[in-house]
């Protein structure tokens, strides 16, 4: 059967009418019970943003070595995710094939090298007939490196490579494809391999994956790509870092163990955000329980950015075993207060100043549901590494686009107020 279908390509959506043979229905295998793959938000590093398509096996090994040498792996960033551009064709048997010049020993060898360095190996695929960056052959025909119609075969090949993580993108898809069934097919294909592989749903929030992603993948993108800027926006939907905070606030109630809200990668260390903005991004992502995926070039990253990424206390908030995303409980005049309940009845608190000029922001005790005058048990201020004395208030002069962040020990029974 042949059908004329529209295909969407890339973040800049191109609607193309093409005639294509309809793919045969994928085998229906019931999903097997899966082990816990993401009890806390995934952490790691991705090739995208920092390297785009400019990487080969040697670059990936060098980056894995850098992750170890910089202490990022020891800090918890334990995944190396190969994003778009590794696959360049399908062979006569329909298997995805890497670029032989860039990966002469194949992708399993890349996976082995990543594993040898104590890291998990992430691979990338797209749910349509092409990926976002690999759309056209030199003769102008569509490059069939998307997984549509090849889901089970591709998942088996990813398992054979030793992949631990599959990011499944939304490029090159048919207009008729819907989010839930597309991603359920890949979930079932992964389950049929018998190898536990985390499924990262990347459909840019188009079909509201926060409503159906739990039980399908372990994380879902909330929006279009995050750009390397604080507050810019593009006509195709790319957004600056500060806009991702609003997505996290909106969907906080949907995240939790085995299903995390993914605002896209950290832009820390990419040379554009100021140190205050970098601290703001990781503080809010930690409090909102977002995956922490670094996207910079680790060969050139500044020491200050590395220290921000490796801050032990902010990572402990992100990885808190209770797994409860924090909420934004105040947004007034560019001043925000975010609170996350942590194990042991503690609270992570972020005072965030969205304005360009410094502001004094005070945490209102009612925001912790404490009676006025109640004494907190003290705590720690994260970025200054100071002890917060037991007392009745916390107030800080917060720089523009910056944060103050605390872990507080309130008296037992204190509750976080309902979010706004
Ligand atoms: C899309 C995704 C990005 C990245 C690129 C790669 O834009 O949203 O995260 O994977 O594709 O081409």
């Amino acid at each position: 059967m042949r059908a004329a279908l529209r295909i969407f390509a890339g973040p800049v959506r191109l609607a193309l009418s093409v005639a294509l043979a309809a793919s045969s229905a994928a085998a229906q295998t019931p999903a097997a019970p899966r082990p816990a793959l993401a009890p806390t938000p995934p952490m790691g590093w991705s090739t995208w943003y920092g390297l785009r398509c400019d990487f080969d096996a040697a670059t990936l090994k060098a980056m894995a070595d850098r992750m170890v040498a910089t202490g990022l792996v020891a800090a918890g960033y334990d995944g190396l995710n190969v994003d778009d551009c590794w696959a360049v064709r399908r062979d006569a048997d329909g298997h995805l094939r890497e670029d032989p010049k860039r990966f002469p020993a194949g992708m399993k060898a890349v996976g082995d090298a990543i594993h040898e360095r104590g890291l998990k190996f992430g691979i990338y695929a797209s749910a349509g007939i092409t990926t976002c960056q690999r759309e056209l052959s030199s003769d102008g025909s569509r490059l069939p490196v998307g997984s549509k119609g090849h889901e089970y075969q591709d998942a088996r090949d990813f398992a054979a490579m030793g992949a631990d993580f599959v990011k499944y993108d939304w490029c090159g898809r048919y207009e008729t494809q819907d989010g839930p069934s597309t991603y359920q097919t890949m979930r079932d294909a992964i389950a049929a391999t018998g190898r536990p592989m985390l499924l990262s749903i990347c459909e840019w929030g188009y079909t509201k994956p926060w409503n159906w992603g739990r039980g399908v993948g372990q994380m879902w993108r909330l929006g279009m790509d995050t750009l390397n800027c604080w507050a810019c926006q593009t006509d195709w939907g790319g957004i600056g870092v500060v806009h991702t905070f609003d997505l996290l606030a909106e969907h906080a109630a949907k995240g939790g163990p085995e299903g995390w809200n993914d605002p896209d990668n950290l832009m820390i260390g990419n040379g554009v955000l100021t140190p205050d903005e970098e601290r703001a991004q990781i503080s809010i992502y930690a409090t909102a329980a977002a995956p922490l995926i670094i996207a910079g070039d680790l060969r050139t990253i500044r020491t200050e950015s590395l220290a921000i990424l490796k801050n032990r206390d902010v990572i402990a908030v992100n990885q808190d075993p209770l797994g409860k995303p924090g909420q934004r409980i105040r947004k007034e005049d560019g001043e925000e207060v975010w609170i996350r309940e942590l194990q042991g009845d503690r609270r992570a608190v972020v005072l965030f100043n969205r304005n360009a000029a410094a502001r004094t922001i005070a945490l209102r005790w009612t925001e912790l549901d404490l009676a006025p005058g109640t004494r907190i048990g003290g705590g720690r201020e994260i970025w200054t590494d100071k002890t917060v004395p037991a007392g009745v208030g916390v107030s800080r002069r917060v720089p523009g686009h910056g944060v103050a962040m605390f872990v507080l020990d309130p008296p037992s029974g204190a509750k976080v107020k309902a979010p706004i």
Side-chain angles (χ1 to χ4, degrees):
M1 185 176 68
R2 295 180 73 80
L5 297 166
R6 299 178 79 206
I7 294 184
F8 293 101
V12 185
R13 289 184 302 148
L14 303 171
L16 300 175
S17 282
V18 293
L20 288 163
S23 56
S24 58
Q28 294 300 304
T29 310
R34 295 165 57 104
L37 290 169
T40 59
M43 294 174 68
W45 175 85
S46 160
T47 52
W48 193 241
Y49 300 108
L51 304 187
R52 299 278 162 171
C53 295
D54 188 16
F55 61 91
D56 58 13
T59 324
L60 295 177
K61 278 186 210 162
M63 219 55 86
D65 285 337
R66 279 292 286 162
M67 288 180 76
V68 175
T70 52
L72 284 168
V73 178
Y77 294 91
D78 66 353
L80 190 157
N81 298 338
V82 177
D83 208 276
D84 200 354
C85 304
W86 67 271
V88 291
R89 67 182 180 95
R90 284 192 186 275
D91 68 16
D93 297 321
H95 295 286
L96 279 177
R97 286 290 171 213
E98 64 284 338
D99 180 343
K101 288 199 207 79
R102 292 157 59 219
F103 305 103
M107 295 312 281
K108 177 164 186 322
V110 170
D112 289 347
I114 290 171
H115 288 148
E116 275 159 25
R117 287 153 175 87
L119 287 154
K120 296 178 196 152
F121 169 34
I123 197 79
Y124 166 100
S126 191
I129 60 163
T130 71
T131 70
C132 295
Q133 302 301 314
R134 293 285 180 255
E135 293 170 351
L136 300 175
S137 315
S138 49
D139 64 3
S141 61
R142 311 287 299 175
L143 209 55
V145 289
S147 296
K148 181 72 184 150
H150 291 271
E151 294 89 346
Y152 281 70
Q153 181 178 29
D154 289 354
R156 277 194 301 275
D157 287 346
F158 299 154
M161 286 173 199
D164 306 293
F165 176 111
V166 178
K167 172 171 165 180
Y168 203 38
D169 211 341
W170 197 225
C171 279
R173 69 194 181 281
Y174 297 93
E175 191 186 39
T176 49
Q177 262 179 264
D178 84 299
S181 65
T182 294
Y183 284 87
Q184 280 159 13
T185 302
M186 185 47 91
R187 175 208 50 198
D188 295 347
I190 287 174
T193 70
R195 181 176 174 86
M197 293 188 277
L198 185 152
L199 177 59
S200 167
I201 298 171
C202 178
E203 55 71 272
W204 319 324
Y206 273 35
T207 65
K208 301 187 169 47
W210 43 88
N211 289 333
W212 53 260
R214 185 165 293 284
V216 178
Q218 287 71 37
M219 55 196 269
W220 46 79
R221 275 269 293 272
L222 297 176
M224 193 42 93
D225 299 18
T226 303
L227 305 169
N228 188 20
C229 65
W230 178 248
C232 61
Q233 269 175 312
T234 66
D235 54 1
W236 52 264
I239 53 176
V241 166
V242 74
H243 305 301
T244 67
F245 300 168
D246 298 322
L247 293 174
L248 285 167
E250 188 181 342
H251 301 296
K254 299 297 174 97
E258 298 302 297
W260 303 102
N261 288 316
D262 175 15
D264 204 5
N265 296 174
L266 294 162
M267 291 299 149
I268 298 168
N270 288 356
V272 171
L273 299 189
T274 66
D276 282 327
E277 291 168 345
E278 292 189 339
R279 278 187 283 272
Q281 188 181 27
I282 198 166
S283 298
I284 289 182
Y285 283 26
T287 305
L292 298 180
I293 312 288
I294 304 167
D297 185 338
L298 300 176
R299 295 166 299 192
T300 52
I301 190 167
R302 288 176 315 143
T303 314
E304 188 176 9
S305 299
L306 256 183
I308 290 171
L309 288 166
K310 290 196 302 181
N311 185 290
R312 193 181 306 137
D313 296 323
V314 83
I315 291 172
V317 169
N318 178 257
Q319 297 291 304
D320 184 75
L322 204 55
K324 252 181 129 172
Q327 316 260 18
R328 177 166 68 190
I329 58 153
R330 189 199 320 167
K331 183 175 188 236
E332 275 170 21
D333 196 22
E335 297 175 10
E336 296 187 11
V337 176
W338 293 65
I339 299 182
R340 175 173 178 180
E341 186 181 344
L342 303 175
Q343 197 180 50
D345 206 24
R346 294 163 310 137
R347 302 288 182 271
V349 175
V350 174
L351 309 177
F352 167 50
N353 179 10
R354 210 177 252 260
N355 304 291
R359 290 278 181 101
T360 298
I361 306 180
L363 173 69
R364 297 175 195 144
W365 247 214
T366 51
E367 288 167 337
L368 288 171
D369 255 10
L370 299 180
T374 308
R375 293 175 66 81
I376 57 154
R380 203 124 197 101
E381 180 167 0
I382 288 187
W383 295 110
T384 58
D385 203 20
K386 285 192 182 133
T387 301
V388 177
V392 292
V394 171
S395 167
R396 287 288 180 278
R397 188 83 180 150
V398 183
H401 299 179
V403 288
M405 184 169 180
F406 308 89
V407 173
L408 301 178
D409 303 322
S412 163
K415 292 195 182 64
V416 176
K417 270 187 102 69
I420 54 163

